[in-house]
Amino acid sequence: MARVLEKKTEIERSIIKKYRKTIWNGFVASVQEYELIQPNDRIAVCISGGKDSMLLAKCMQQLQRHSDFPFELEFVVMDPGYAEPNRKLLQENLNKLGIEATIFENSIFDVAYNAGGSPCYLCARMRRGALYDRARQLGCNKIALGHHQDDVIETLLMSMMYASEIKTMLPKLHSTNFEGMELIRPLYRVKERDIISWANYNDLHFLQCACRFTADSAFDESLSKRKETKMLIAELRKTNPNVDDNIFRSLHNVNLATIPGWRDRDCGDTHSFLETYYETKNKNMEKTDENR
């Protein structure tokens, strides 16, 4: 028991000390810059069993201990149909990290697997809805997910290359189906390679993708568009070490004056630069006449 407590303390200390610059500072910067947490929030921290959500849980624990204002945390784990070894590993890691979580079961894997079409898309939507619903039952006003900076830039590139639009994950957003609920992403400025380094440094072994579909021999992971995008960024990084940082910063530095078209977030109406192009031209001509 003493060794378990000692190991938990070591893991927590590593976030604040060894990984202060690469993980903790990025986590705190995300929370502060995007105003993710307010006083008296009650946040459901959603844990899938993977490295990202487990690190998120530990960071949220640490922040709660040192925060200048009070907020509450509920650690929530949904078992969508994990195989017994995966469920066991998840529970062992929760114990090892000192996370007391509410575990609830759902048959999402069965539904998504048998529904036809894209099971990954359906599974993701159903999981999100189930987590919102459980969070609301627990009296929470927010759910926190473990998406990191790599997820953000990969989603951006995938939307450009495969969906013909510029779109990515926001640091926070209002739920459209659960009134009064928000989703936040506190690891928004944390890189995946630093999360992997943290896990390896502490000799932690988390669930990879425990989905039944990806375990099926008929599913070829090499066809994954996200994996292709990861490989593309890794290749670009060989000649430009800052390429991922530059892509991420570009999301915060969009020059709208150079964008030929865009779509309203709320109503979906499309717009063109031509709407103001000739108006701007006429104004410039008027200024020229005044200066003569």
Side-chain angles (χ1 to χ4, degrees), residues 166 249-259:
I166 297 176
R249 291 193 191 100
S250 72
L251 288 168
H252 300 73
N253 193 32
V254 178
N255 188 340
L256 292 177
T258 67
I259 302 299

Side-chain angles (χ1 to χ4, degrees), residues 255-262 271-275:
N255 188 340
L256 292 177
T258 67
I259 302 299
W262 63 95
H271 298 275
S272 167
F273 79 104
L274 290 174
E275 294 174 12

Side-chain angles (χ1 to χ4, degrees), residues 1 47 74 77 82 112 125 146 158 178 194 215 233:
M1 184 64 183
I47 301 173
E74 286 281 353
V77 178
Y82 289 142
R125 286 185 62 86
M158 288 169 64
F178 295 83
D194 295 319
I233 296 171

Side-chain angles (χ1 to χ4, degrees), residues 44-184:
V45 181
C46 303
I47 301 173
S48 66
K51 65 185 188 316
D52 309 326
S53 60
M54 287 291 193
L55 172 64
L56 171 64
K58 293 308 297 179
C59 287
M60 294 292 280
Q61 274 186 336
Q62 293 281 20
L63 184 64
Q64 186 184 42
R65 291 169 187 164
H66 303 289
S67 176
D68 294 331
F69 56 82
F71 63 91
E72 298 180 66
L73 298 176
E74 286 281 353
F75 298 100
V76 179
V77 178
M78 180 181 65
D79 180 348
Y82 289 142
E84 185 58 34
N86 290 329
R87 174 68 178 255
K88 181 181 179 182
L89 176 60
L90 192 156
Q91 186 63 65
E92 289 175 350
N93 282 327
L94 289 173
N95 296 339
K96 186 181 299 183
L97 295 174
I99 301 170
E100 295 185 9
T102 299
I103 302 179
F104 69 101
E105 298 180 353
N106 199 299
S107 59
I108 285 176
F109 278 178
D110 285 333
V111 175
Y113 190 75
N114 295 314
S118 172
C120 297
Y121 174 77
L122 179 59
C123 180
R125 286 185 62 86
M126 293 176 66
R127 287 165 69 104
R128 184 76 55 83
L131 288 168
Y132 269 124
D133 188 54
R134 180 50 60 107
R136 185 169 59 181
Q137 291 176 26
L138 293 171
C140 298
N141 64 309
K142 294 179 179 178
I143 68 171
L145 301 183
H147 295 123
H148 46 66
Q149 181 174 306
D150 294 68
D151 290 321
V152 176
I153 64 176
E154 289 162 14
T155 300
L156 169 66
L157 294 181
M158 288 169 64
S159 71
M160 295 173 67
M161 294 187 292
Y162 302 115
S164 302
E165 63 178 342
I166 297 176
K167 182 178 71 175
T168 192
M169 300 172 173
L170 284 171
K172 65 178 180 180
L173 65 156
H174 295 287
S175 171
T176 55
N177 297 318
F178 295 83
E179 186 177 355
M181 294 286 292
E182 288 183 75
L183 180 154
I184 62 174

